[in-house]
Amino acid sequence: MTIHAPAKPDTRTRPAPRGPLSAEILELLADDTQDAAGLADRAADVVDRAEDIARDDDVQVSLFLLYALHYGSLADLPVAREWDLDLLGARHVLESAFEAQLRAEIEIPDAPEPTADAVARLLFSMTAPSPGPSLARYVAKTASVEQLREFLMHRSIYTLREADPHSWAIPRLTGRPKAALVEIQFDEYGSGDAGRAHAGIFAQTMRGAGLDDTYGAYLDVVPAVTLASLNMMSMFGLNRRLRGAIVGHLAAFEMTSSIPNKQYGDGFRRVGFDSDVTWYFDEHVEADAVHEQIAGRDLAGALAEDEPDLLPDILFGAAACLTVDGWAGDHILHAWQEGRSALRSGGAAHGGAS
């Protein structure tokens, strides 16, 4: 089929502010000589007023910007601000509130014995497919071309940087868990072939669907809950005390990848897209079937054996992955079932419809 590409979105990569805190942070990032004193206090005020941290636009855009300083994912952010103590203080306030909400709302199963086999069995049980409606099934059977392109916009927030949040855990692990994580990440980054790096393959998917593959091009049109999914990974990966959570997150992430990616690929094929677009999804069907075994036993299971005190956080990270990704997926699915866009207003102007 022929895809008519929309007008290329604004090439700036910084998002627009969604409240007073993100507006102030953007001003600080535009002028790295500006004094940031008191930013943590103002972050605390925003947190106090927020009804739902995970879905609060100002909180999640602010966290995204503060984490982006460490990734270098937005090219026009000043490197001098990465270790600015006032910005770090504000980040601590925001992520503490975010973590507290997650721990309060996410149900975690009882911990098994801290052995690799027992932990892997529980993780496979937690991530087993469930019947009923799902975003992946909707994509496979029902989604229109416009909805599929929206889906890619949501996914771009993480997938154009795929694997990076989990890679923060590499220096925080030792022995068997570290070896297992490096094995998974080596494949994610193309096994030494830059042309096969998963983020690059996804960029090709976006181009093939008539979308802009610039990182951050669709920041302004995705909802807070989409940002929350990536922000949660960044929080887990950047805090050494949460290394168990980032390991559990990756394990659940890999264990819930193969079947949905098969359905995503089928959905894009159904409406006429070719292998230039579906390669990303097809690649994950096979790769993640291998990764899930490594992640469950050699990564999460081995870490539980080596550091049993981390087992509760391993399970928390896995449950958080399933829950928050579920929130983000439900947001998209419910919008589509109601016949409306899952993007924030203005999505069509940024390439949300053809």
Side-chain angles (χ1 to χ4, degrees):
M1 69 182 298
T2 300
I3 297 298
H4 299 286
K8 192 177 181 70
D10 189 337
T11 55
R12 64 173 175 79
T13 56
R14 299 184 193 186
R18 300 191 195 178
L21 185 63
S22 53
E24 182 175 359
I25 291 172
L26 283 162
E27 289 180 4
L28 292 168
L29 297 179
D31 179 5
D32 59 11
T33 67
Q34 187 175 335
D35 187 2
L39 187 65
D41 292 336
R42 292 186 286 281
D45 290 339
V46 169
V47 164
D48 289 342
R49 292 193 298 268
E51 296 181 1
D52 184 340
I53 296 295
R55 295 174 178 83
D56 187 277
D57 281 304
D58 201 16
V59 169
Q60 293 302 328
V61 169
S62 296
L63 268 177
F64 179 88
L65 287 165
L66 294 171
Y67 289 137
L69 286 167
H70 298 290
Y71 287 107
S73 52
L74 303 183
D76 58 346
L77 297 187
V79 295
R81 287 290 195 186
E82 180 178 4
W83 300 109
D84 184 295
L85 295 180
D86 292 308
L87 269 65
L88 290 173
R91 192 192 99 188
H92 177 69
V93 169
L94 297 176
E95 66 184 10
S96 294
F98 188 24
E99 181 185 353
Q101 178 185 349
L102 296 175
R103 290 192 182 275
E105 295 187 11
I106 292 172
E107 184 176 350
I108 304 170
D110 292 335
E113 291 296 313
T115 66
D117 285 345
V119 170
R121 282 197 302 271
L122 177 57
L123 290 173
F124 277 109
S125 175
M126 291 172 64
T127 57
S130 59
S134 73
L135 178 60
R137 295 186 185 99
Y138 189 96
V139 166
K141 301 294 185 181
T142 306
S144 66
V145 172
E146 291 80 4
Q147 289 170 337
L148 292 174
R149 294 173 70 238
E150 278 194 18
F151 170 73
L152 295 178
M153 292 181 213
H154 286 273
R155 289 289 293 262
S156 71
I157 303 304
Y158 163 70
T159 312
L160 286 175
R161 301 288 303 188
E162 184 164 1
D164 288 352
H166 297 113
S167 291
W168 294 115
I170 293 173
R172 309 187 192 294
L173 301 176
T174 60
R176 296 177 298 164
K178 175 177 253 181
L181 178 56
V182 170
E183 182 176 359
I184 294 170
Q185 299 302 82
F186 182 65
D187 193 18
E188 297 288 345
Y189 292 123
S191 301
D193 180 354
R196 298 189 66 86
H198 290 179
I201 299 174
F202 186 77
Q204 174 182 298
T205 292
M206 295 194 73
R207 293 191 300 273
L211 295 171
D212 188 347
D213 67 347
T214 303
Y215 187 79
Y218 299 103
L219 279 172
D220 286 343
V221 298
V222 299
V225 72
T226 296
L227 299 178
S229 179
L230 174 58
N231 286 338
M232 180 179 66
M233 290 186 236
S234 298
M235 176 174 66
F236 290 167
L238 283 165
N239 286 276
R240 189 168 64 88
R241 65 178 179 82
L242 294 174
R243 63 193 182 280
I246 192 63
V247 163
H249 185 285
L250 179 57
F253 195 81
E254 297 293 344
M255 290 176 174
T256 54
S257 178
S258 289
I259 294 174
N261 274 298
K262 172 65 164 63
Q263 294 170 320
Y264 296 146
D266 289 345
F268 280 86
R269 274 184 287 271
R270 172 177 55 81
V271 300
F273 286 105
D274 61 20
S275 59
D276 283 348
V277 170
T278 63
W279 179 23
Y280 173 84
F281 304 108
D282 297 338
E283 172 75 10
H284 282 71
V285 174
E286 180 177 350
D288 290 346
V290 175
H291 289 175
E292 68 181 21
Q293 299 294 329
I294 300 169
R297 292 181 172 81
D298 302 329
L299 176 58
L303 182 62
E305 286 187 349
D306 292 351
E307 300 186 62
D309 289 347
L310 294 183
L311 180 53
D313 265 2
I314 293 171
L315 300 180
F316 166 60
C321 174
L322 300 173
T323 300
V324 177
D325 283 359
W327 292 345
D330 287 346
H331 168 87
I332 299 171
L333 180 60
H334 293 163
W336 290 353
Q337 289 174 332
E338 293 172 2
R340 56 184 174 85
S341 171
L343 299 172
R344 301 174 72 239
S345 61
H350 286 72
S354 58

